[in-house]
Amino acid sequence: MKTLITVAPTGAETAKDDAPNLPVTLDELVSTAQSCEVAGAAMIHVHIRDDGGQPTLDTARLSDTVTALRENTSLIVQLSTGGSVTDSFADRLAVLDVEPRPESASLTCGTVNFGDAVFANPWGLIAELYQGMQERGIMPEFELFDIGHVATMNRLLDRFGAPPGRVHCDFVMGVPGGMPATTSTLAAGVAALPSGTSWSATGVGRRTMPMMLAALSADGHIRTGMEDVLSIEKGVPVRDNAQLIERAASLASLAQRPPMTSGDARVWLNLDER
Ligand code: KMH
Ligand code: ZN
């Protein structure tokens, strides 16, 4: 099986001043997406910023973003419905009405402490987001920040049935307050997934490499990018997102599971051909 590599290029937490190569404008995001596609990414997990570089879920900007990414890349576009810890539930739900529709959207499966903040995801919001994605034909990527989130993902599937596309989740590990980024925790999470579920993993910060290697060793897939890690090695800032994707692609190839193209990934994820 080939490897799905997802790039998470921006996130909502890092300031441009602290990482000058963070893509925050639309032009920067498109050019990042293009270079990451060349390097081996098939999907892009998108957070956007406003003119001041602050995270936003402005739907007009999100529409322009989806349009530009579709026009300039073949990547599968996944909009974040997690946003930043300060976004309202209404704004997060409104992401589902962005046109053109993204092929995928993230869906965090539970509340979690997030550093000094709380990333709030009560059951009612999760269920509404999930059903909204089902109605609109948007493939959710279940974001699992804690082991208990696996139970909520199972509850969604039991209660509301299958999602559009494949049942695919992402273990986001090592957020302060979430599950630790260890191989034993990943193994426990994978063992709790419904059979047939595919998964990727991302270790935050210094846990990036261990989790990438653990994922490759266990038939999992990879998410990486400047949302999750800002150093390429201890004390050395990443050059850009493409450098992180190049590293992931080369490890995947070494593991004899080379990167999927976006075309491969659409077939594998049961997404309609674009
Ligand atoms: N920025 C985090 C609070 C997602 O994109 O769905 C939430 C997050 C998850 O990044
Ligand atoms: Zn995100």
Side-chain angles (χ1 to χ4, degrees), residues 1-7 35-42 208-209 212-213 216 221-225 232 241-261:
M1 184 183 27
K2 291 185 178 178
T3 305
L4 172 68
I5 301 179
T6 300
V7 60
S35 57
C36 289
E37 183 170 20
V38 170
T208 288
M209 284 299 290
M212 204 180 298
L213 294 168
L216 285 170
H221 300 267
I222 294 173
R223 179 179 113 171
T224 190
I232 196 73
N241 279 286
Q243 184 185 28
L244 291 167
I245 299 302
E246 282 158 13
R247 179 171 70 175
S250 100
L251 287 172
S253 296
L254 263 179
Q256 313 221 333
R257 292 186 44 211
M260 291 183 193
T261 64

Side-chain angles (χ1 to χ4, degrees), residues 29-41:
L29 184 63
V30 167
S31 125
T32 295
Q34 288 173 321
S35 57
C36 289
E37 183 170 20
V38 170

Side-chain angles (χ1 to χ4, degrees), residues 19 44 55 62 78 127 182 222 234 244:
I44 183 164
L62 283 170
Q78 177 186 95
T182 60
I222 294 173
K234 194 170 178 197
L244 291 167

Side-chain angles (χ1 to χ4, degrees), residues 172-190:
V172 186
M173 309 180 74
V175 168
M179 65 183 136
T182 60
T183 304
S184 54
T185 305
L186 180 62
V190 171

Side-chain angles (χ1 to χ4, degrees), residues 11-246:
E13 284 73 37
T14 300
K16 181 86 166 167
D17 284 349
D18 295 331
N21 287 333
L22 193 76
V24 299
T25 67
L26 185 52
D27 283 351
E28 288 170 347
L29 184 63
V30 167
S31 125
T32 295
Q34 288 173 321
S35 57
C36 289
E37 183 170 20
V38 170
M43 180 144 77
I44 183 164
H45 169 81
V46 177
H47 290 257
I48 61 165
R49 302 291 175 99
D50 64 17
D51 288 338
Q54 296 303 310
T56 179
L57 291 176
D58 181 83
T59 50
R61 269 181 190 263
L62 283 170
S63 292
D64 291 346
T65 303
V66 177
T67 301
L69 289 171
R70 289 179 64 116
E71 280 173 2
N72 293 288
T73 77
S74 303
L75 293 171
I76 297 166
V77 176
Q78 177 186 95
L79 291 186
S80 169
T81 67
S84 77
V85 289
T86 52
D87 283 318
S88 70
F89 295 169
D91 286 351
R92 290 172 57 190
L93 282 159
V95 171
L96 301 185
D97 288 322
V98 165
E99 294 280 0
R101 291 262 188 277
E103 289 172 278
S104 178
S106 61
L107 174 53
T108 296
C109 290
T111 295
V112 63
N113 282 319
F114 204 89
D116 295 341
V118 174
F119 180 29
N121 294 281
W123 167 251
L125 172 68
I126 297 168
E128 202 173 337
L129 283 166
Y130 186 60
Q131 291 172 96
M133 292 185 207
Q134 286 180 311
E135 283 159 16
R136 292 163 180 79
I138 299 171
M139 187 193 88
E141 179 179 272
F142 302 96
E143 305 297 337
L144 310 173
F145 287 78
D146 216 340
I147 281 284
H149 295 188
V150 184
T152 299
M153 174 186 151
N154 276 298
R155 185 179 174 199
L156 281 174
L157 296 170
D158 287 348
R159 183 75 65 89
F160 302 115
R166 193 183 176 94
V167 180
H168 180 74
C169 65
D170 178 43
F171 292 93
V172 186
M173 309 180 74
V175 168
M179 65 183 136
T182 60
T183 304
S184 54
T185 305
L186 180 62
V190 171
L193 295 175
S195 76
T197 305
S198 58
W199 58 274
S200 59
T202 188
V204 170
R206 71 186 68 166
R207 297 305 294 167
T208 288
M209 284 299 290
M211 291 302 95
M212 204 180 298
L213 294 168
L216 285 170
S217 76
D219 294 335
H221 300 267
I222 294 173
R223 179 179 113 171
T224 190
M226 293 175 74
E227 175 166 347
D228 301 327
V229 60
L230 294 166
S231 306
I232 196 73
E233 59 184 87
K234 194 170 178 197
V236 182
V238 293
R239 185 195 71 214
D240 55 19
N241 279 286
Q243 184 185 28
L244 291 167
I245 299 302
E246 282 158 13

